[in-house]
Amino acid sequence: MKKELILSFTLLAASSSYAQVQTNYQTIQNPDGATLGYSPASGVKILTVDGLKFKDLNKNGKLDKYEDWRLPIEERAKDLAEKMSVEQIAGLMLYSIHQSIPSAETGFTAGTYNGKPFSASGANPWELTDAQKAFLKDDNLRHILITSVQSPEVAAAWNNEMQAFVEGIGLGIPGNNSSDPRHTGQDTGTKAEFNAGAGGKISIWPDGLGLAATFDPTIVQQFGKIAAQEYRALGISTALSPQIDLGTEPRWYRISMTFGESPQLTTDMGRAYIDGFQTSYGQDEIKDGWGYKSVNAMVKHWPGGGAEEGGRDGHWAFGKFAVFPGNNLESHIKPFTEGAFKLSGKTGMASAVMPYYTITYNQAKDGTNLANGFSKYIITDLLREKYGYDGVVCTDWLITGNEGVTPDDFKGKPWGVEDKTEAERHYIALMAGVDQFGGNNVMEPIIEAYQMGIKTHGKKFMRNRFEQSAVRLLKNIFRLGLFENPYLDPQESANVVGNPDFMQAGYNAQLKSIVLLKNKEQILPIREKKTVYIPKNYYPAVKDWWGLWSEPSLEYPVDMELVKRYYNVTENPQEADFSIVFVSSPYSNNDGGGYDISDRQSGGNGYVPISLQYNTYTAVDARENSIAAGDPVIDPSITNRSYKGKSVNVSNAADLSTILTTRSQMGSKPVIVVVNLARPMVFHEFESKVDGIIARFGISEQAVLDVVSGKFEPSGLLPLQMPANMSTVEKQLEDVPFDMECHQDSEGNSYDFGFGLNWKGVIKDTRTQKYTKN
């Protein structure tokens, strides 16, 4: 038999200014079997059985089933679950608050632990903090949400430090790191919680709407395959994505991360995305498509979070209700049941599901109105029993925490169980069928919930219930080979993440996501090196997640050195041959809008419209009475959330002024508007006054300039309807797609779903034939 090969690695950071990492790891290559990676410092020994090598993770001197990489994953997971204490299973059910690498001392990251501040335990950026060691050891946490990273090398080194630490404690269960989407090029109005910054270099792709605008699932599957390789190189093994909520409510600010409003397109895109992330091929495959290049996909948000009443978002108490006036819940479920749970690849279905914060109002057959994570009907009756899903169900972050003092506080989101204790909320969620709690680093409330269950159901029942969740959670770690080798070569990580081939693929997708909406008299493309005028933009002060305001600024919206590679540049519009105006779709303080505490303080109900136009908007066509209302803790006196007759202004109203001023300055010379669409918008305020309109979705200005200059012909299509006015927005139903009157432009084109231009005119091809409004 071939002698095993043992390799030893010393981890080095990207910069020589960092001291050498003290943790070494070794690998052992079994002939025709698993490659083992372990840290000698962890105390783990290597067993030899039948001439093969295995890790003695629990240090008992014998080969347990869960340590035997030859056995089926189901058998290994059940064996380990039976060996785990209640406290260890409770820790497995935790999903950490956001962690940055290196750790940040402020913000919603690893800045506090159990309410106490902490500092890093060493000088190196990859070292674990005291808080991280505490929740890994004392609370048995093994699922870690990673936000920003300094570089691929540092991320890999941190992963190795963490894996060596947990390998040496308890049963040696490895960590399962995760990430929200991190491949988009820029903020498109969504919050940093969803794409907190890749850090280092990584391939850049369009956001959800941009991928949808390609109308090509093969591009999305390619993205998933590449992103999975970059994730694994960063030590990330679970993706908190894709977001396959139907974008049927045009005012919802999280619509930018969806695949639009079409059930069919969203279904196909979601399936392709998950197949790309989860499937390993060739020597990387372990079994059934799972392997060393696989990343678990946590599809969200069951059973669909895109039908928010009035467009308000469930991160806040003012947006806790998803409503279904069109009785169309089935369409929102379709991308899950026909896409995420019916994959084309061998992994079969998404390995995890995240319910949204919202109360799926008046849809539960048991008559309850609880947030999805607390609803037995939504999780057990519908997801598990009707649709047969047996993967992990993880709550969205902080649903068991206490809500704020006012509806606009960014605190806990216990919608429907606001009057319960934190432990009671954990118990309700567990009984509803949830396996894991997002944003909770502390196991104590889960242990309390376990004791509550014993009083009601008995110890045997609760032990079986805990082991049921443990098996689901463990399978998602076993499938990826993490029990055998969770370690990374930092230099290899640096070579993988953001390599030229991956960067080029992402850039090609950016190009294909661009939608040409208007091209009056074929003004585009402008191939000659003419003189362009690009006005500066006013960026207003906006409020972030935590109520902090940015500083207003006046600056160029694009790197002017980049523009000079394409055209001559002037600051005087009189000297220009044409102008490009870069703007964003209308937004309100970057929290999506819909609530104004000053309105409540002055005697109103606090609820205000969400506007998709730049000019002041008065909601004359809004509902007289809201569909849902009521808050048992904050303000039970509010029984009607209607905002009819109220007026609002968007934060970036100056964008319209910039367009119209530029039009006046340019006289009869062409004006091209490039709009970064985070959600649908009303175009009639300026469309007839400009010559060209290009829509982009969170992509680079360079890709836009490649289209403007004719280096690339546009091929993108609208994944959403663009409303004719705000009246049609108010009259549409939150849960129904394709129910708005669309904008008609001066060239006779309707900005409807599937519309887009190329140099010849309106695009009609196999994509527009396949994906229709039917």
Side-chain angles (χ1 to χ4, degrees):
M1 182 175 288
K2 187 189 301 181
K3 185 178 181 180
E4 69 272 7
L5 177 64
I6 300 180
L7 302 174
S8 180
F9 292 86
T10 300
L11 311 184
L12 299 177
S15 170
S16 59
S17 63
Y18 297 139
Q20 179 173 300
V21 180
Q22 297 303 307
T23 301
N24 297 337
Y25 74 94
Q26 293 182 347
T27 63
I28 301 176
Q29 297 175 354
N30 278 292
D32 301 320
T35 297
L36 308 182
Y38 73 103
S39 168
S42 72
V44 166
K45 304 299 182 184
I46 300 300
L47 302 173
T48 302
V49 179
D50 298 330
L52 300 173
K53 303 297 181 179
F54 303 87
K55 294 164 69 173
D56 184 13
L57 291 168
N58 61 0
K59 308 178 185 68
N60 66 353
K62 66 178 183 178
L63 180 63
D64 295 285
K65 288 183 178 180
Y66 86 91
E67 298 165 337
D68 190 343
W69 45 262
R70 299 169 299 182
L71 295 178
I73 284 172
E74 185 83 22
E75 186 175 352
R76 298 179 70 187
K78 287 182 178 179
D79 177 66
L80 180 52
E82 290 172 359
K83 289 177 167 61
M84 296 175 73
S85 67
V86 169
E87 289 76 16
Q88 287 170 328
I89 294 176
L92 199 63
M93 290 177 169
L94 300 174
Y95 224 125
S96 82
I97 59 175
H98 300 57
Q99 308 290 308
S100 60
I101 304 172
S103 66
E105 295 301 319
T106 59
F108 196 67
T109 58
T112 61
Y113 183 64
N114 279 353
K116 299 178 181 179
F118 68 85
S119 59
S121 59
N124 297 317
W126 55 80
E127 289 191 14
L128 301 181
T129 66
D130 293 337
Q132 290 166 350
K133 290 179 180 178
F135 65 59
L136 292 169
K137 185 175 187 295
D138 299 339
D139 290 288
N140 302 302
L141 185 149
R142 291 297 180 273
H143 292 81
I144 304 149
L145 176 57
I146 303 298
T147 56
S148 60
V149 298
Q150 187 178 92
S151 70
E153 297 96 325
V154 169
W158 183 91
N159 169 80
N160 293 345
E161 287 278 298
M162 181 274 294
Q163 298 292 6
F165 182 79
V166 297
E167 186 176 77
I169 56 180
L171 295 166
I173 299 172
N176 181 359
N177 300 326
S178 70
S179 174
D180 279 305
R182 60 196 306 114
H183 281 82
T184 56
Q186 59 180 250
D187 180 17
T188 57
T190 57
K191 286 292 196 269
E193 182 189 3
F194 318 128
N195 52 355
K201 58 177 184 177
I202 199 166
S203 61
I204 303 300
W205 298 71
D207 61 17
L209 284 180
L211 289 171
T214 69
F215 274 54
D216 187 348
T218 63
I219 292 176
V220 177
Q221 186 163 347
Q222 180 193 34
F223 161 71
K225 185 177 180 180
I226 287 173
Q229 293 177 68
E230 293 183 312
Y231 273 31
R232 289 302 296 264
L234 293 169
I236 295 168
S237 44
T238 293
L240 302 187
S241 57
Q243 185 179 327
I244 58 173
D245 307 288
L246 281 191
T248 53
E249 169 45 60
R251 293 163 291 191
W252 186 38
Y253 84 113
R254 287 199 72 178
I255 205 170
S256 67
M257 296 308 299
T258 74
F259 292 122
E261 64 184 304
S262 165
Q264 183 181 6
L265 181 62
T266 300
T267 296
D268 289 351
M269 292 297 195
R271 182 189 304 113
Y273 188 108
I274 299 166
D275 273 331
F277 265 94
Q278 292 191 167
T279 308
S280 287
Y281 303 90
Q283 65 182 8
D284 294 317
E285 182 181 2
I286 298 173
K287 187 175 177 56
D288 298 328
W290 292 102
Y292 301 108
K293 293 294 190 294
S294 298
V295 170
N296 293 300
M298 186 180 291
V299 63
K300 55 190 185 184
H301 302 88
W302 176 262
E308 300 268 12
E309 184 171 22
R312 299 181 294 269
D313 183 68
H315 277 82
W316 294 269
F318 60 69
K320 67 175 66 175
F321 297 107
V323 296
F324 297 84
N327 196 29
N328 197 37
L329 178 60
E330 285 299 319
S331 289
H332 291 256
I333 288 175
K334 178 181 176 181
F336 294 89
T337 59
E338 299 300 314
F341 303 161
K342 289 185 180 180
L343 301 179
S344 300
K346 290 160 64 174
T347 63
M349 63 173 59
S351 67
V353 169
M354 181 189 293
Y356 204 37
Y357 294 117
T358 47
I359 295 170
T360 303
Y361 191 68
N362 281 353
Q363 298 299 301
K365 297 293 192 293
D366 59 11
T368 59
N369 270 310
L370 304 177
N372 298 314
F374 299 112
S375 173
K376 178 182 178 295
Y377 174 78
I378 294 295
I379 302 301
T380 295
D381 299 354
L382 204 58
L383 177 62
R384 295 215 186 274
E385 294 181 358
K386 181 175 181 179
Y387 295 112
Y389 183 77
D390 193 39
V392 168
V393 174
C394 177
T395 73
D396 213 330
W397 263 233
L398 300 177
I399 75 164
T400 57
N402 293 324
E403 64 180 325
V405 177
T406 59
D408 59 340
D409 275 356
F410 189 78
K411 301 290 185 182
K413 303 115 182 32
W415 314 142
V417 291
E418 297 91 342
D419 56 347
K420 305 298 183 182
T421 67
E422 186 175 359
E424 287 171 335
R425 293 169 192 152
H426 281 80
Y427 176 69
I428 293 168
L430 284 168
M431 293 302 100
V434 160
D435 301 300
Q436 198 168 31
F437 299 91
N440 185 354
N441 288 21
V442 183
M443 70 176 178
E444 182 179 354
I446 300 178
I447 301 299
E448 288 186 54
Y450 180 79
Q451 297 300 327
M452 291 177 188
I454 289 177
K455 292 179 181 178
T456 304
H457 300 287
K459 187 173 183 179
K460 182 178 180 180
F461 175 92
M462 286 306 295
R463 176 69 201 191
N464 289 338
R465 173 67 190 86
F466 264 45
E467 286 189 22
Q468 181 185 48
S469 287
V471 169
R472 291 173 181 146
L473 291 160
L474 290 169
K475 284 164 65 176
N476 286 355
I477 304 176
F478 276 114
R479 285 168 171 159
L480 310 186
L482 293 174
F483 275 87
E484 280 59 70
N485 183 16
Y487 296 96
L488 300 169
D489 176 355
Q491 186 55 56
E492 182 180 346
S493 293
N495 294 337
V496 169
V497 180
N499 70 62
D501 290 341
F502 291 177
M503 296 295 284
Q504 186 62 56
Y507 188 72
N508 291 342
Q510 292 185 49
L511 291 168
K512 293 177 181 178
S513 73
I514 294 171
V515 182
L516 177 61
L517 293 176
K518 184 174 183 178
N519 194 13
K520 185 177 181 180
E521 297 179 356
Q522 303 296 300
I523 184 62
L524 294 171
I526 301 175
R527 302 182 191 275
E528 300 174 17
K529 193 167 185 179
K530 295 186 176 182
T531 300
V532 66
Y533 167 66
I534 296 178
K536 290 183 178 180
N537 282 15
Y538 173 70
Y539 296 96
V542 293
K543 186 172 59 175
D544 67 13
W545 284 104
W546 308 282
L548 302 175
W549 288 85
S550 66
E551 291 292 328
S553 63
L554 180 67
E555 56 191 77
Y556 283 113
V558 59
D559 181 353
M560 299 306 287
E561 293 303 313
L562 171 66
V563 179
K564 290 176 182 177
R565 288 159 49 184
Y566 295 82
Y567 302 108
N568 299 315
V569 173
T570 181
E571 295 182 0
N572 183 356
Q574 308 301 320
E575 298 175 351
D577 297 307
F578 71 104
S579 176
I580 306 176
V581 184
F582 290 86
V583 297
S584 296
S585 53
Y587 61 82
S588 302
N589 275 343
N590 273 355
D591 64 1
Y595 189 85
D596 186 348
I597 191 64
S598 64
D599 177 84
R600 182 69 182 118
Q601 292 169 342
S602 62
N605 64 4
Y607 293 87
V608 296
I610 296 174
S611 177
L612 303 182
Q613 68 181 37
Y614 291 118
N615 282 317
T616 299
Y617 168 60
T618 302
V620 296
D621 292 315
R623 295 186 181 111
E624 291 281 356
N625 295 285
S626 63
I627 294 174
D631 192 310
V633 175
I634 292 180
D635 196 344
S637 68
I638 301 300
T639 58
N640 184 7
R641 300 187 179 204
S642 174
Y643 49 79
K644 185 178 177 66
K646 294 182 181 179
S647 300
V648 291
N649 293 297
V650 298
S651 295
N652 62 327
D655 281 0
L656 177 60
S657 176
T658 302
I659 295 170
L660 299 180
T661 298
T662 303
R663 169 76 283 168
S664 178
Q665 291 173 321
M666 293 296 294
S668 61
K669 291 180 288 189
V671 174
I672 299 160
V673 173
V674 177
V675 116
N676 201 19
L677 281 177
R679 51 186 166 188
M681 65 177 289
V682 174
F683 279 91
H684 78 77
E685 295 171 303
F686 67 86
E687 175 273 314
S688 64
K689 299 176 176 62
V690 302
D691 304 279
I693 300 177
I694 291 173
R696 61 171 174 154
F697 304 90
I699 65 165
S700 67
E701 288 83 11
Q702 181 176 347
V704 172
L705 290 170
D706 273 354
V707 168
V708 172
S709 64
K711 290 184 178 181
F712 186 86
E713 183 172 15
S715 61
L717 305 168
L718 283 177
L720 297 159
Q721 291 183 321
M722 296 295 125
N725 47 53
M726 282 304 298
S727 177
T728 192
V729 172
E730 295 290 357
K731 293 174 182 177
Q732 58 86 36
L733 303 179
E734 285 91 338
D735 60 323
V736 177
F738 314 132
D739 62 343
M740 291 193 296
E741 177 189 355
C742 296
H743 176 74
Q744 302 282 331
D745 74 8
S746 64
E747 308 307 292
N749 292 317
S750 175
Y751 293 1
D752 205 342
F753 171 82
F755 170 73
L757 301 171
N758 56 26
W759 301 145
K760 299 180 182 67
V762 177
I763 297 172
K764 294 186 184 298
D765 56 21
T766 55
R767 297 173 301 159
T768 58
Q769 292 172 3
K770 180 176 182 179
Y771 297 109
T772 67
K773 293 191 294 183
N774 298 325

